[in-house]
């Protein structure tokens, strides 16, 4: 029988706005407690996806169990559960927080509270977590911990008198952080003799062991050989292995109440062990699953097509493999007149989409053509039927449409007061409806707008950053679908409609966006041997037109004996470039063109 | 079936020295320096002897071409040594022997030396008759120098003269190009090469373009200038026979025809390329490296590439299509034992339908439009 030792366990996560020092603080904690040596830490960083390193963001770290001996000599088991730092993964953040009793709220002493700080803190408060404010980067000359303290109190209503000042970079104050984790975060509650209830907060697919479910035992215990049931799918399995994160997967005999670890149980499909599901004992199940489970619904869709039509099978295999580790990724076959056979793929958000695209190209070596992303529209037809449209191509003809509704979000933007005008102008331009404005202090405001998600996924964040010199921070929450005057805009190249370029837009903005889009396409489509007209049309009416001039001269002036190989190589390069383009009718279109709509103001 | 190997190669000799590098030039050349010239000459003589030792008795070079660099930048005694290396090779009766000349580096003595050594054709790098354009190009001579050198060459006794021109210079007007063409035609040349400026990365112009200080010329203007050259020169009796070359009938450069027919040639000197038995070999580019290899008795080769049949066919078509007459079915069949029409049936059909090539009973050739966008045609013949 597992000995209850919950009083010596502390489960916590670190929440922060991007770049406020979450990863550095985590590293310091691991180093200070001897969980990882300096060398191992570098190795761990190296283990992470190239992508994360290049983007300078951490999508998610593996959980870690930390052995910590307090000053009074008591040994504690600390479990640090990381949360993804991006709005695309809000649901996963909420599940990770649900696995904890407390959170370190890291705020950059030079920047103060940002949009994600707010969003994450509210999430943590929703889960009744004990929040320990940590004011980081106090070593920097521009640090202003007093200002951050005020913001914490005024904005978040936190008691900032006990905020810990630290510098994860120099290590100053990190031991105080650990002390606070033990002293302030309550121990877990469950008992080992109760029925098993464990929350899955993450899962990975391992080709040898099947799905490895990361879980937090809320009550009861789990051990190899035990028959378990996943409550939302109802499926039952026998546990093969039980282990903890040190941070390498390390097998243990059992996991008791309050503990964090993993199990493998010959679960073949990651969709059978979804984040948020409850693991219980098949023979002695709990009455109800843990609260908060929700199936992830993709918010953003795009078409993914292989560059070469014969790579369709490869793309399908690659998507299937990625899906093994990514329960949020959905895809189904789709055919485009312009691009041939491909897939309509759904993602949690734009970052998620970009990550998947890059991984397909890098890890699976599939050359992709991606169409511009779109949100899911709720279409009510004249006959009363309601359908969800995830692709402009699937929008019914205008005569059959009663209404079209699009997803809205509440965008929270924090900016210095100097930029209030710029932000409001931009939000209005992007069809935002003003909701609220709140002064955070004399210099900063929190502005909230209700906005169509489609405007956010286009270029809102980039424009927000550039219009506020990088000072603005953004977060958003899904509000639901709202009706709008939305129409499909078709693009005709050389007189032929190119289905993969169609977009759904607001009628009032059609003229402007149409002009912008054809202009952008004109600059992206290289000159061909003939003139290529590019037109935008709504409901069969041309609303904008540009022309790619015909190529007049393209010839290597000189080719003598010494030049033959070199000139041939130039031609080969030119041919490669042509091959990377998609032949649509008689026109060669570069792959960037299919994303052009994203670059339209 | 004629074996290419059986055909005697043309001979090319590279002289890698210049007084000053022109801003558009990416050929192998260096500022002239006496000690380096001396070791170059010794190495060239060594290479000549080595090649000659294995030269089949039956081979008579159909043409000789001494290019550079600037062969005429050498002093007479130095130039003579180069000419002697060339003259040592057996050549066909009446073989064309061309030497490239810079109008700023010839005098009567050098011209006489060339003529007396057997050189029967000079190719002058005139480039433009506008002094401002010449300065822009980094040329060391003026338009007057060109005319004077030209007249001197005629007086000395050269009856086959060619001149090079460059057009589509940034900022060049149709008028200024017209003036240059008119002055070129007035010299009654037997041959003119007119090149659209191509900006290569490893040149002064390449660097300027990368830095944004040199605007490339719009291809519509480029085409207008090209058409102007075709018109003016044909009126002057110089008929276009290649993408950039014009000649009085019978004065087409025989040496260059060897290249465009993808026939064999042997190159001597640094960076010189040989094409023998289907293998392309390029000598070491750096003069010092070239000399060192020869000093220790090794072939100064930097790169070898054996084309293989598929690529050889493609190159034969690509080079052959540069000629206005194109490539004949017969010649291709003689060389490869297959009908060209059966090798690229789809490509030929497609390009003909697009109005870029003509395929008639004689062979395959570019249309006037095809000449202007020839790269688009060439790519289609490259193996995937």
């Amino acid at each position: 029988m597992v000995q209850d030792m919950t009083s010596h366990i502390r489960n916590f996560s670190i929440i922060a706005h991007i770049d406020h020092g979450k990863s550095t603080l985590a590293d310091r904690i691991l180093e200070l407690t001897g969980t990882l040596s300096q060398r191992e830490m570098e190795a761990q960083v190296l283990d992470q996806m190239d992508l994360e390193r290049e983007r300078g963001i951490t999508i998610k770290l593996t959980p870690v169990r930390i052995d910590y001996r307090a000053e009074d000599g008591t040994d504690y088991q600390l479990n640090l559960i990381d949360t993804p730092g991006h709005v695309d993964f809000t649901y996963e953040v909420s599940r990770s927080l649900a696995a904890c009793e407390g959170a370190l709220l890291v705020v950059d002493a030079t920047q103060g509270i940002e949009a994600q700080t707010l969003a994450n803190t509210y999430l943590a408060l929703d889960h009744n977590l004990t929040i320990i404010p940590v004011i980081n980067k106090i070593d920097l000359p521009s640090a202003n911990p007093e200002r951050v303290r005020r913001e914490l109190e005024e904005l978040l209503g936190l008691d900032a008198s006990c905020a810990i000042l630290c510098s994860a970079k120099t290590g100053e104050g990190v031991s105080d952080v650990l002390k606070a984790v033990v002293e302030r975060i309550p121990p877990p509650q469950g008992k080992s003799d109760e029925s098993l209830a464990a929350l899955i907060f993450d899962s990975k697919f391992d080709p040898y062991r099947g799905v490895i479910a990361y879980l937090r035992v809320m009550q009861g215990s789990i051990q190899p050989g035990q028959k378990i049931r996943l409550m939302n799918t109802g499926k039952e399995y026998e546990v093969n292995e039980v282990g903890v994160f040190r941070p390498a997967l390390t097998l243990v005999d059992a996991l008791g109440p309050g503990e964090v670890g993993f199990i493998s149980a010959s679960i073949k499909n990651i969709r059978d062990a979804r984040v948020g599901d409850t693991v219980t004992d098949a023979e002695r199940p709990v009455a109800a699953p843990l609260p908060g489970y929700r199936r992830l619904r993709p918010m953003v869709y795009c078409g993914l097509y292989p560059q070469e039509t014969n790579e369709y099978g490869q793309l399908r295999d690659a998507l299937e493999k990625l899906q093994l580790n990514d329960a949020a990724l959905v895809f189904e076959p789709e055919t485009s007149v312009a691009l041939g056979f491909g897939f309509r793929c759904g993602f949690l958000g734009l970052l998620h989409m970009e990550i998947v695209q890059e991984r397909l190209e890098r890890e699976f070596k599939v050359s992709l053509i991606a169409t511009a992303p779109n949100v899911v529209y709720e279409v009510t037809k004249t006959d009363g039927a309601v359908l969800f449209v995830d692709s402009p191509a699937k929008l019914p003809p205008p005569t059959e449409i009663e209404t079209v509704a699009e997803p809205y979000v509440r965008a929270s933007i924090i900016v210095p007061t100097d930029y209030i005008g710029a932000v409001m102008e931009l939000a209005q331009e992007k069809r935002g409806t003003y909701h609220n404005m709140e002064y955070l202090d004399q210099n900063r405001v929190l502005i909230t707008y209700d906005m169509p998600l489609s405007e956010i996924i286009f270029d809102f964040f980039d424009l927000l950053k550039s219009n506020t010199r990088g000072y603005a921070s953004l977060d958003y929450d899904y509000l639901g679908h709202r009706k709008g005057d939305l129409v499909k805009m078709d693009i005709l190249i050389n007189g032929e409609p190119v289905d993969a370029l169609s977009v759904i837009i607001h009628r009032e903005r059609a003229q402007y966006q149409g002009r912008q889009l054809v202009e952008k396409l004109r600059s992206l489509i290289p000159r061909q041997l003939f003139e290529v007209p590019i037109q935008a049309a709504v409901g069969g009416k041309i609303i904008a037109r540009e022309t790619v001039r015909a190529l007049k001269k393209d010839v290597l002036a000189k080719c003598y004996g010494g030049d033959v190989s070199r000139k041939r190589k130039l031609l080969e390069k030119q041919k490669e470039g042509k091959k990377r383009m998609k032949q649509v009718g008689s026109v060669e279109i570069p792959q960037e063109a299919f994303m052009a709509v994203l670059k339209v103001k | 079936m004629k074996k290419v190997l059986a055909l005697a190669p043309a001979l090319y000799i590279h002289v890698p020295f210049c007084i000053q590098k022109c801003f558009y030039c990416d050929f192998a050349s260096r500022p002239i320096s006496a000690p380096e010239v001396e070791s170059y000459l010794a190495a060239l003589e060594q290479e000549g002897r080595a090649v000659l030792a294995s030269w089949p008795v039956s081979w008579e070079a159909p043409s000789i071409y001494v290019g550079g660099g600037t062969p005429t930048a050498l002093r007479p005694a130095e130039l003579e040594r180069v000419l002697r290396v060339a003259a040592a090779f057996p050549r066909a009766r009446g073989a064309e022997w061309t030497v490239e000349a810079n109008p700023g580096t010839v005098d009567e003595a050098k011209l006489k030396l060339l003529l007396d050594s057997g050189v029967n054709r000079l190719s002058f790098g005139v480039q433009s008759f506008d002094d401002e354009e010449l300065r822009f190009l980094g040329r060391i001579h003026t338009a007057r120098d060109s005319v004077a050198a030209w007249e001197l060459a005629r007086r000395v006794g050269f009856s086959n003269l060619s001149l090079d021109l460059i057009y589509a210079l940034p900022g060049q007007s149709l008028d200024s190009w017209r003036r240059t063409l008119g002055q070129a035609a007035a010299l009654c040349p037997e041959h003119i090469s007119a090149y659209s400026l191509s900006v290569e990365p490893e040149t002064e112009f390449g660097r300027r373009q990368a830095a944004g200080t040199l605007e490339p010329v719009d291809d519509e203007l480029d085409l207008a200038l090209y058409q102007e050259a075709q018109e003016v020169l044909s009126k002057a009796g110089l008929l276009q026979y290649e993408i950039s070359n014009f000649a009085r009938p019978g004065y087409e450069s025989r040496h260059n025809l060897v290249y465009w027919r993808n026939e064999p040639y042997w190159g001597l000197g640094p960076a010189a390329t040989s094409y023998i038995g289907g293998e392309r070999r390029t000598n070491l580019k750096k003069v010092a490296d070239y000399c060192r290899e020869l000093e220790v008795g090794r072939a100064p080769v930097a790169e070898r590439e054996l084309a293989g049949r598929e690529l050889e066919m493609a190159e034969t078509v690509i080079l052959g299509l540069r000629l206005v007459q194109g490539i004949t079915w017969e010649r291709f069949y003689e060389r490869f034992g297959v009908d060209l029409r059966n090798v690229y049936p789809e490509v030929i059909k497609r390009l003909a339908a697009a109005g870029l090539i003509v395929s008639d009973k004689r062979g395959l050739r570019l249309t006037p439009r095809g000449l202007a966008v020839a790269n688009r045609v060439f790519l289609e013949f490259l193996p995937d």
Side-chain angles (χ1 to χ4, degrees), chain A residues 13-27:
Chain A
S13 58
I14 308 179
I15 54 182
H17 190 75
I18 189 163
D19 286 340
H20 280 202
K22 181 174 80 169
S23 304
T24 319
L25 180 60
D27 286 354

Side-chain angles (χ1 to χ4, degrees), chain A residues 487-498:
Chain A
V487 291
K488 183 167 90 156
M489 181 166 77
D490 292 312
I491 298 295
L492 290 81
I493 291 183
N494 208 20
E496 296 291 322
V498 179

Side-chain angles (χ1 to χ4, degrees), chain A residues 21-62:
Chain A
K22 181 174 80 169
S23 304
T24 319
L25 180 60
D27 286 354
R28 248 346 128 252
I29 289 175
L30 298 187
E31 204 181 79
L32 197 72
T33 52
T35 310
L36 279 183
S37 68
Q38 187 86 44
R39 226 192 68 231
E40 287 170 319
M41 267 183 20
E42 273 161 32
Q44 198 206 353
V45 172
L46 284 176
D47 274 346
Q48 288 175 21
M49 285 195 288
D50 287 351
L51 223 65
E52 295 189 12
R53 248 181 302 139
E54 274 170 35
R55 287 167 177 267
I57 53 159
T58 314
I59 295 159
K60 198 156 34 167
L61 296 164
T62 48

Side-chain angles (χ1 to χ4, degrees), chain B residues 39-352:
Chain B
S39 46
Y40 157 73
L41 289 170
L44 180 70
E45 284 162 347
Q46 171 62 32
E47 191 188 16
R49 277 193 300 274
V51 172
L52 210 46
S54 60
W55 191 267
V57 217
S58 61
W59 275 7
E60 288 179 342
S63 61
I64 300 174
Y65 198 102
V66 179
T70 313
T72 50
L74 298 176
R75 289 189 290 227
E78 296 163 344
L79 181 58
E80 196 177 356
R81 286 172 68 184
V82 174
L83 297 171
R84 256 192 266 148
V85 171
F89 284 80
R91 60 183 192 271
R93 181 191 290 267
E96 174 189 282
W97 184 354
T98 308
V99 172
E100 282 181 350
N102 180 309
T105 58
V106 291
D107 54 27
E108 192 165 346
K110 275 188 206 171
L111 290 170
K112 277 197 170 133
L113 168 67
L114 291 168
L115 192 70
D116 293 346
S117 306
V119 175
N120 52 25
R121 184 174 180 268
L122 295 182
S123 172
F124 277 105
V126 170
Q127 317 311 1
S128 169
F129 285 99
D130 181 314
D131 284 347
E132 207 178 304
E133 288 177 5
L134 287 169
R135 267 195 303 278
F136 174 76
L137 289 167
R139 301 292 296 180
I140 57 162
H141 59 88
T142 62
R144 269 179 72 175
D145 293 337
S146 296
V147 176
W150 187 271
E151 284 167 354
L152 190 60
R154 286 287 191 215
R155 263 206 312 284
V156 165
F158 280 97
S159 57
N160 186 358
L161 294 181
S162 175
L163 61 87
D164 285 0
L165 298 176
I166 297 184
Y167 66 92
L169 312 180
Q172 186 181 34
S173 67
L174 185 57
D175 269 350
S176 112
W177 176 231
R178 224 175 248 152
R179 280 194 297 277
T180 283
L181 285 169
Q183 293 190 61
L187 293 178
C188 295
E190 280 69 35
H191 187 280
I192 287 184
S193 303
Y195 302 113
S196 170
L197 175 67
S198 103
V199 176
E200 305 292 340
E202 307 273 303
T203 62
E204 173 63 27
F205 279 172
R207 282 181 286 277
R208 286 193 207 167
Q209 194 163 300
T213 57
L214 190 79
E215 272 285 307
V217 167
D218 175 79
D219 73 335
E220 217 151 302
L221 177 61
D222 188 357
L223 178 67
L225 299 172
Y226 187 43
Q227 287 169 339
E228 184 69 17
Q230 290 169 322
E231 201 182 312
V232 171
L233 297 179
S234 84
K235 273 187 194 146
L238 291 150
L239 304 185
Q240 183 174 16
Y241 72 100
E242 193 258 0
I243 284 170
S244 306
N245 285 276
F246 303 80
R248 286 183 201 295
Y251 285 92
E252 297 83 7
S253 165
R254 271 184 267 164
H255 186 82
N256 290 337
L257 284 171
V258 166
Y259 296 141
W260 297 320
R261 288 179 180 146
N262 205 21
E263 285 172 356
Y265 45 90
W266 205 305
L268 304 180
T273 299
S274 304
Y275 181 54
I276 302 289
E279 186 191 53
R280 246 177 253 290
R281 267 200 309 269
T282 303
N283 278 353
L284 290 157
K285 197 168 176 169
K286 273 194 171 158
V287 176
D289 296 342
Y290 166 83
C291 295
R292 191 196 56 233
E293 290 296 292
L294 281 157
E295 231 165 77
V296 297
R298 274 199 296 259
V301 177
E303 262 176 76
R304 292 169 189 273
E305 181 190 63
L306 196 60
R309 186 175 157 85
E310 197 187 6
L311 198 53
E312 188 179 326
M313 286 200 279
E315 288 183 346
T316 303
V317 175
I318 289 170
L319 289 164
L321 284 176
R322 294 189 68 89
L323 294 168
V324 170
Q325 292 212 330
I327 180 161
T328 64
W329 308 128
E330 194 189 349
R331 206 184 261 271
F332 190 89
Y333 186 82
E334 272 176 18
R335 177 160 178 174
F336 295 105
V338 284
D339 193 315
L340 176 56
R341 284 164 288 201
N342 294 334
V343 183
Y344 307 100
E346 292 307 314
V347 171
I348 291 174
K349 208 184 294 167
R350 199 164 60 237
L351 292 171

Side-chain angles (χ1 to χ4, degrees), chain A residues 526-530 549-572 574-575 578-579 588, chain B residues 26 167 195-196 218-220 222 226 243-245 256 259-260 265 273 280 305 311 315 319 322 356 369 372-376 378-379 382 384:
Chain A
R527 293 165 66 188
Q528 325 259 320
L529 290 170
F530 45 88
R549 281 197 297 144
L551 181 77
K552 290 295 167 64
K553 199 151 180 264
D554 181 16
V555 55
L556 296 165
K558 279 188 188 188
C559 191
Y560 296 107
D563 307 322
V564 178
S565 298
R566 202 167 53 87
K567 301 269 152 111
R568 192 194 70 230
K569 277 170 196 151
L570 285 178
L571 288 172
E572 279 166 355
Q574 199 175 352
K575 185 166 183 158
K578 270 167 70 83
K579 265 169 68 181
E588 280 157 353
Chain B
D26 73 338
Y167 66 92
Y195 302 113
S196 170
D218 175 79
D219 73 335
E220 217 151 302
D222 188 357
Y226 187 43
I243 284 170
S244 306
N245 285 276
N256 290 337
Y259 296 141
W260 297 320
Y265 45 90
T273 299
R280 246 177 253 290
E305 181 190 63
L311 198 53
E315 288 183 346
L319 289 164
R322 294 189 68 89
L356 300 175
R369 164 98 171 116
V373 293
N375 281 3
R376 296 300 173 110
F378 297 159
L379 324 158
L382 282 176
D384 277 321

